[in-house]
Amino acid sequence: MMQFFAMGGFAMYVWPAYAVFFIVLAWDWFSPALRRRRITRALRGRIARERTRNTRATRAEAPT
Amino acid sequence: MVTAVQPIANSTPVAPTTDQRSSGTLRACAALLRRDFTLAWRRRGELFLPLLYAVIVAALFPFALGPDPELLGRIAGGVLLVIVVLAMLPALESMFRSDLEDGTLEQWLLAPQPLALLALTRVIAHWLTTVLPLIIVMPLLGALLNLPVKVLPVLMLTLLLATPLLVLLGAVLSALAAGARRSGILVALMLLPLAVPVVIFAAGAIAAAQSGMPYVAPLTWLAAALVLAIVLAPLACAAALRIAVEA
Amino acid sequence: MSRSYLPHWMHWLGSPPNFYRFAGALRPWLIAAALVCAAIGLYGGLVLAPPDFRQGDAYRIIFIHVPSAWMSLFIYACMAVTGLVALVWRVKLAEVIAMECAPIGAAFTLITLATGSLWGRPMWGTWWTWGARLTSELVLFFLYLGVIGLYNAFEDRRRGARAASLLALVGIVNLPIVHYSVVWWNTLHQGSTVDWLHLSQSSIAPSMLWPLLVMTLATHLYFFASILGRARTGLLSLEGGKQWVRSLVTETSR
């Protein structure tokens, strides 16, 4: 097992290379999820604001 | 504020003959050239800025590397090439910007003359007003950096072929970036990949001349690329301008 | 209608809500397949394959370096093709896919440069040489950055997508020119022509080849999974005002 991690003396080159591979791809995979959460949150806020504005507008119109 | 001379000079109401139409196109291009030269002349102070920049950078190199004439002579060709490319960059960015802002580009799109030809005219005007002065001062900068005398003509010839090519490529990118909010470093970032082959062949010609080898082959490649770019780049530029103007 | 000769399923898939559901259904399968392939490929490459008789264990970087390099070119081609579709037919979905390709391509190009550097250091004693492949890869990286930068510089994102698509098409003409000019440049300056991979490419043993091919499959599957997810997110932000997005957002909140 130790022999596997030693990589024949090249451990300090092989493992960082694999680390770069997985870290960069993990960034690529998770960054859209964060962006998506931001978008849905903004959209929900907008919809909620519009809804209150609409109900207020109908209430104001009602007496006339 | 300078009043813009309209590029559309004569669009006759009756169907024009081919001869009339081609002469109209030529007259429109001439009008556009005249307008660009007028504008450049009224802001002639700005035309000196790239020159000043080139002189400053060329003067800094001996301070950074030491005044050894042999070392300076060896690197002068490449250094001057890079200086010219860098000094061209700021002006490239604003090639179409003011025209987009004041609505001239919309007139270009509506004009009966082909948009690509108008773009090519703009490229020619831009090269004559901002890049040609840089090439003219090259002997002076070459003297500052101890450029060998036999290399100077090759350097000038290389620049005469390479800079129009770079302006043509830069025009496409400038047209692409014209509709963007901010494009300061963007045009430089986009130009780098396109400029790599041009710089390689230009530097190859200069290095060959410096070591007394035949330098015609890289220059021929540059000339071929220039011919190709004169045909293709205005078309790409026109497509980019359409994207910038159309909603 | 200029698109009428396209097959029916393309019309169906080109509609954003349909694509959104389709991509959402397909994505988990793709990423699962990518992970399984990566596990098999890495086990084959890191454990089963014997050390190279000349490079020792350092060659094992090949199993991520070469697939990433292939992906960097493949994704650029995908971006250019969808960009062309976006420019000619103005399909909104094509614009989104072309623009979402760019970050993934840039990621794979970055991986290629970093792993190549980590491989070159023990093998040739240098982090970087100006060989043809390396320089082309670096130029490719700048092309990706240019596309991303141009797209993000626009207020109107559909216009930004079209401008950046045109830049991608200019870049695809430029890329072979860069490659051959750098080859020519390297023959001019003899001595710096250390090209990575040349040693290992001469003849590759089957025990090393199959993990490489499985890893290539894994990266392709990963790319398709990633682009589907990114395109979904892109569509969501682009179609924010449309009814299908609104009902989708309000449904998932409850």
Side-chain angles (χ1 to χ4, degrees):
Chain A
M1 200 62 187
M2 282 313 289
Q3 207 181 354
F4 171 71
F5 284 111
M7 272 291 148
F10 292 111
M12 64 171 292
Y13 300 107
V14 174
W15 296 122
Y18 278 85
V20 165
F21 181 75
F22 283 107
I23 289 169
V24 171
L25 289 189
W27 166 82
D28 172 67
W29 185 258
F30 289 110
S31 67
L34 292 178
R35 186 157 62 108
R36 183 193 179 79
R37 194 188 296 168
R38 217 167 44 235
I39 292 165
T40 47
R41 195 173 293 159
L43 213 57
R44 262 180 219 148
R46 210 167 80 192
I47 291 169
R49 272 197 305 280
E50 279 177 12
R51 201 166 283 157
T52 53
R53 197 184 306 144
N54 284 344
T55 51
R56 222 177 277 156
T58 48
R59 248 180 241 152
E61 277 166 23
T64 54
Chain B
M1 191 61 215
V2 180
T3 49
V5 179
Q6 287 302 315
I8 329 124
N10 54 339
S11 49
T12 38
V14 285
T17 62
T18 0
D19 194 42
Q20 272 176 324
R21 202 178 295 146
S22 64
S23 77
T25 305
L26 277 181
R27 271 160 69 182
C29 290
L32 183 57
L33 267 182
R34 214 162 37 240
R35 169 182 182 263
D36 282 358
F37 286 144
T38 315
L39 284 176
W41 179 249
R42 298 204 176 149
R43 293 179 289 126
R44 52 191 175 276
E46 282 178 31
L47 294 184
F48 284 102
L49 292 179
L51 293 184
L52 198 62
Y53 173 85
V55 173
I56 289 170
V57 177
L60 276 177
F61 263 91
F63 293 120
L65 296 169
D68 176 19
E70 199 183 322
L71 172 69
L72 285 178
R74 204 165 66 238
I75 60 165
V79 167
L80 289 174
L81 183 66
V82 173
I83 288 176
V84 169
V85 173
L86 289 181
M88 281 168 60
L89 273 179
L92 276 184
E93 190 251 322
S94 54
M95 215 163 157
F96 296 103
R97 173 136 303 192
S98 66
D99 289 327
L100 184 70
E101 279 163 2
D102 67 10
T104 310
L105 275 187
E106 283 168 27
Q107 300 296 319
W108 281 25
L109 255 70
L110 293 172
Q113 287 80 24
L115 183 58
L117 213 59
L118 296 177
L120 181 64
T121 313
R122 166 55 55 84
V123 168
I124 293 169
H126 183 92
W127 185 79
L128 287 174
T129 52
T130 65
V131 185
L132 194 60
L134 274 173
I135 299 180
I136 292 172
V137 297
M138 267 306 119
L140 177 71
L141 297 183
L144 276 180
L145 290 176
N146 197 32
L147 184 80
V149 179
K150 65 174 167 125
V151 183
L152 187 62
V154 182
L155 177 72
M156 302 281 274
L157 190 59
T158 309
L159 288 177
L160 282 176
L161 288 172
T163 51
L165 192 51
L166 288 172
V167 175
L168 281 164
L169 296 173
V172 179
L173 304 179
S174 179
L176 279 174
R181 271 172 297 167
R182 53 197 150 73
S183 58
I185 196 73
L186 196 59
V187 172
L189 176 67
M190 294 190 292
L191 186 65
L192 175 78
L194 299 178
V196 164
V198 182
V199 171
I200 283 178
F201 282 108
I206 296 168
Q210 205 139 17
S211 55
M213 307 239 285
Y215 51 81
V216 178
L219 285 183
T220 327
W221 279 110
L222 276 180
L226 180 59
V227 171
L228 206 64
I230 285 176
V231 178
L232 293 180
L235 295 173
C237 196
L241 286 175
R242 286 212 171 84
I243 292 172
V245 173
E246 280 171 11
Chain C
M1 195 70 185
S2 61
R3 275 187 276 157
S4 57
Y5 56 85
L6 286 177
H8 178 259
W9 63 267
M10 268 183 154
H11 275 298
W12 183 83
L13 202 58
S15 142
N18 289 342
F19 178 84
Y20 188 89
R21 277 193 293 276
F22 174 78
L26 194 59
R27 207 166 81 107
W29 297 100
L30 283 174
I31 190 65
L35 288 176
V36 168
C37 281
I40 295 170
L42 288 181
Y43 184 72
L46 292 175
V47 181
L48 296 182
D52 189 63
F53 75 98
R54 223 169 349 181
Q55 303 193 20
D57 282 314
Y59 89 95
R60 292 186 200 277
I61 295 175
I62 198 176
F63 300 116
I64 47 174
H65 175 76
V66 170
S68 300
W70 285 339
M71 286 316 288
S72 66
L73 290 171
F74 175 75
I75 294 172
Y76 199 92
C78 287
M79 182 170 75
V81 169
T82 46
L84 184 68
V85 173
L87 278 177
V88 177
W89 290 289
R90 303 203 172 186
V91 185
K92 193 183 270 181
L93 179 62
E95 288 169 10
V96 170
I97 290 180
M99 288 306 106
E100 298 295 341
C101 273
I104 314 176
F108 272 111
T109 315
L110 187 66
I111 292 171
T112 310
L113 289 169
T115 56
S117 195
L118 282 164
W119 192 5
R121 180 67 197 161
M123 285 303 104
W124 291 281
T126 171
W127 296 105
W128 182 260
T129 65
W130 290 95
R133 279 168 210 256
L134 285 102
T135 314
S136 306
E137 197 70 20
L138 188 65
V139 166
L140 186 66
F141 187 59
F142 280 112
L143 275 173
Y144 275 125
L145 289 188
V147 169
I148 295 169
L150 187 61
Y151 175 55
N152 286 321
F154 273 80
E155 204 94 55
D156 173 358
R157 277 185 305 165
R158 293 205 61 187
R159 195 191 292 183
R162 283 207 297 279
S165 297
L166 188 61
L167 179 64
L169 287 176
V170 172
I172 214 161
V173 177
N174 182 49
L175 215 51
I177 301 176
V178 168
H179 186 82
Y180 287 109
S181 64
V182 176
V183 168
W184 177 81
W185 178 56
N186 267 314
T187 56
L188 208 67
H189 301 261
Q190 294 272 323
S192 64
T193 48
V194 184
D195 220 335
W196 298 340
L197 300 180
H198 263 180
L199 288 180
S200 53
Q201 266 190 346
S202 49
S203 62
I204 185 159
S207 63
M208 298 171 185
L209 184 62
W210 75 259
L212 183 62
L213 294 179
V214 174
M215 279 305 287
T216 307
L217 183 63
T219 49
H220 274 82
L221 288 168
Y222 172 80
F223 163 63
F224 288 120
S226 180
I227 190 69
L228 289 183
R230 280 176 171 275
R232 270 165 61 102
T233 310
L235 282 178
L236 216 54
S237 70
L238 204 62
E239 302 253 276
K242 297 270 172 71
Q243 190 52 47
W244 71 272
V245 176
R246 286 170 170 250
S247 55
L248 194 94
V249 167
T250 45
E251 269 164 31
T252 47
S253 69
R254 277 159 205 165

